[in-house]
Each structure stands twice: as C-alpha cells, then as structure tokens.
Amino acid sequence: MSNLPAAPQGRILAIDDDPGLLQNFALCLEDAGYRVNTATRLQEGMKLAASQPFHVCLLDRDIAGDSGLDALPRLRELAPGLRVIMVTAHSHVEDAVRAIAEGAADYLVKPCSPAQLRIAVARQLDTLDLLSRLETLERQQPRQASTLQSNSPAMSEVLAVARQVARTDANVLLLGESGTGKGVLANAIHGWSPRASRPLATVNCPSLSAELLESELFGHAKGSFTGATQSTQGRASHADGGTLFLDEVGDFPLALQPKLLRFVQDKEYERIGEPDTRRADVRIISATNRDLEAMVRDNSFRLDLLYRLNVISLVLPPLRDRREDLAALANGFVRRYANSYHLPARHLSEQALLRMQAYAWPGNVRELQNVIERAVILCTGEQIGPEHLALGGEPAPAGAGSGVGVGAPVSLETLERAHIEAVMAHAETLEAAARTLGIDGSTLYRKRKAYGL
Ligand SMILES: Nc1ncnc2c1ncn2[C@@H]1O[C@H](COP(=O)(O)OP(=O)(O)OP(=O)(O)O)[C@@H](O)[C@H]1O
Ligand SMILES: [Mg+2]
C-alpha cells in the first residue's frame, strides 16, 4: 500500500484462467480509469503481485487446477497492503466465507455485471484512501503537539537550516546531547518536506540485535529464521515515498553497516530469506549523541557510511545554551501535564523559573519535561514553586546564574535568592560562598534564613 499512488488512479491485478473474462474485466475497469494487469496462471499472478505495486487483486477461486483460495495467505504475505476480492462461481459461494476469514476484503459471484465489478473495486480503493488518511493523521498528531519555535539564536539558526534542507531529499544527520530534541526535529523535517503526506518510519538502532535490526529494516520472509512465523515488509518498504529515521545510528552494528551503506547509496535491499532485490524511495534522517568521527577512528563506524548519512549535519544546542526558550518550554509542559492528568491549571512561580534558569539541565529538554511532570503532580495549589522542582542536585555552570536571571522581569529579591542559591550549590563551604558573594558569613546566614535556603 505504501508505495502506491493514492486512489483513484488504482492499479488492479486480475488473476483468472478464462482469457475472455479477463478481457471483459480489463475493459470495464480501464474504462473507469484504472490500470489493469492480468494473469491467466496463478504463479504468473503471484509474481506480478510480488514485483509490482497493486491496490486491488481480483482472484479467481480456481485457476487452471490451482486454488486461488489456498493461495490467498501467500498472496497477502507477498503484498501485505493489497485488497483481495475473491471471485467465485455461484455454486461455491460458501467458499467466499472462508476467503473472508483468510483475509480477503470482499467477494464477487460470477457472472457479475460491469457495475457490480466497478462498485466492488471502488469500495476497496475508498477503504485504502481512508486508511492512508488515517495513517497520515496519526502521524501528524505528535508533530502538532510540539510546535518547534525558538527565541534562542543558537536554536533558531538550526531550525532555519532544517526548514531549508527539508525541501530537498538530502540525507540529514542530527547531532546533539541526549534529550535535546533530535527525535522531535526529525519529525519536523519530515513534516516540512514534500514527503510529508507519506510515512515516516523510525528504526531504533540500539534496541535490537543485528539480526532483528536487519529484519526490522528490510523485512523477512516467513520461516527465514527461528521465530519468523510471518513474513514482514520492513521499515524501508513502509517508508517508501517518505522518510526513514535511523535513531541512535551510532549504535548500528558494524557487521550490518555494509548492507545499510548499499541501501543508503542505491536504495536497494533484499528481505532476509528472499533473493529478490527490492527498492524503496526514502529520504534518510539519522540521529546520534555519539561522536561518529571518533568511532570511525577506532573502526566501529564506517567512514563511507558516515559520508553518505552526513550530507547535511545539524547540531542541536543543549538546553543550557538556549535558556531563552526555557520559560516557554516549561510553561508548555505545565499546560500539557495539567491537561493530561486532568488537574486544574497551574503556573510556575518566579522563583521556580529562576531556579530553573540557574540549573545546568544535563538531561536537556527531556529532563525539563520530567521535572515539570513531577512538579505538576506534586503541587497541590495553583502555583508551582522551587520546592516542587527536583533538579538532580547538579550545580549550575559558572556564570549561568548571574548571566541568565539578570534582566528577567522579576524582583531584586527573587534574583538575589536565586543567585545565592546557585553560588551555594557551587561552593565547597558556606565561607567560600560568602566570599564569592562579597558578604560576610553572618549576612549570608541571615539571607539564607530569610529566603528559606
Ligand atoms: N521543542 C520541543 N518542544 C516540546 N517538547 C520537546 C521539544 N524538544 C524536545 N522535546 C521533548 O523532549 C524529549 C526528548 O526529545 P527527543 O527524544 O527528541 O530528544 P533526543 O535528542 O532524540 O534524545 P536522545 O538522544 O536521548 O534520543 C521528548 O519527550 C520530546 O517530546
Ligand atoms: Mg532520540
């Protein structure tokens, strides 16, 4: 289904051993604007179904000694998205029920009128159209949930290049620390690209063994290895016409890299356990937080593969380098979690925001999201304060506290409190903190008491 043009320019395959009937079917459907291929032998039909994309197959019950009914499971394996309409003689209508149970989409009883034939085919194409719209809507949902906007110069620049690159088919490599939003940006690039109406298929490289990863990517034939009870089409085929996202590509097994390289170069691959070479038209986005160049140096990543994946690379800035976005991101998460936990609206206090501005966010946006989720749940009033934030105890980087809070629309007192807190988090002793702050120990003691630090 995924490598087909949208209905109604439907492609129909008719398999029947009666050439006269096939000719009638073809004339009738071609008149309606469809493209029709015919086969008078089952094997010939199966070969066509495996090698070319079709929307609908009209499958006769008996084809010159072969049973169309028995071939149904294999046909559905070869072409998983294909809608099969079983064609039976009147005397075998009971077989139609079995055909539906085996996965046929509908059945027709011979002889059928041209109108019956067209209606049956049109109905399947409508269903395919609905399925593909549903798929598109489902895919768009997470993208809408996180609109990528930024007030930070570092991030804005990355987004501007990403939008520009999205219009092309160039492969993109997304780099950056864990939790900076590489997955979110991969989704956005697909959404901004001309391929947006086609699927985005993600392969999570580290979660699978080399064998399972190969199967996940390229699919396998039934019985090709222990546990392969069904044939699968693989993410590459699923992404046909769209985008393939290789997440955590730094963990892609070295032994499998030559096959990936060939696919990235030529867009050709084989399913495990099948000799036929297949093609998929995909744009490849990959992401990693690992240093691929260092991996090339110690021979755990292929240089030629890196070149192919890295036509354009974008480095996502860590959250501590885009603090201009912190408040908007945090407020967005507050709204999201209050909503999803059906809690009344909450907002972040100035002190909470200052505390967050002074923090280093080693886990980046993901950590911010987790911290806010927890705070929303723990907070009983409508205001989230610093006491609701569990900030990993890591000290803020040098200068962050003073550089960030300054100029923020907050009172001097709030700023002072956050600054004292950040300096204390750095300092080995209270005396050292007082020295840094330029005040004596007893003043610091009073201020700590006043601010509840
Ligand atoms: N701009 C954003 N708006 C809203 N949520 C975001 C944004 N950026 C990231 N997130 C959220 O932060 C979390 C981490 O993002 P994502 O998974 O894309 O990061 P990553 O860089 O791929 O991390 P890793 O390297 O660990 O896979 C996700 O839950 C994501 O929804
Ligand atoms: Mg990720």
Side-chain angles (χ1 to χ4, degrees), residues 165-181:
V165 176
R167 293 198 288 265
T168 72
D169 267 349
N171 292 339
V172 181
L173 177 64
L174 303 177
L175 301 169
E177 291 176 16
S178 179
T180 46

Side-chain angles (χ1 to χ4, degrees), residues 23-71:
Q23 200 180 6
N24 286 343
F25 273 12
L27 284 175
C28 165
L29 293 172
E30 279 166 1
D31 268 0
Y34 304 129
R35 283 177 59 192
V36 183
N37 287 64
T38 59
T40 51
R41 290 287 175 275
L42 181 64
Q43 278 321 311
E44 184 194 348
M46 300 284 258
K47 247 189 163 157
L48 276 171
S51 60
Q52 292 182 35
F54 290 99
H55 295 102
V56 180
C57 174
L58 295 155
L59 179 66
D60 192 19
R61 177 184 173 279
D62 301 297
I63 309 145
D66 286 319
S67 161
L69 200 53
D70 291 345

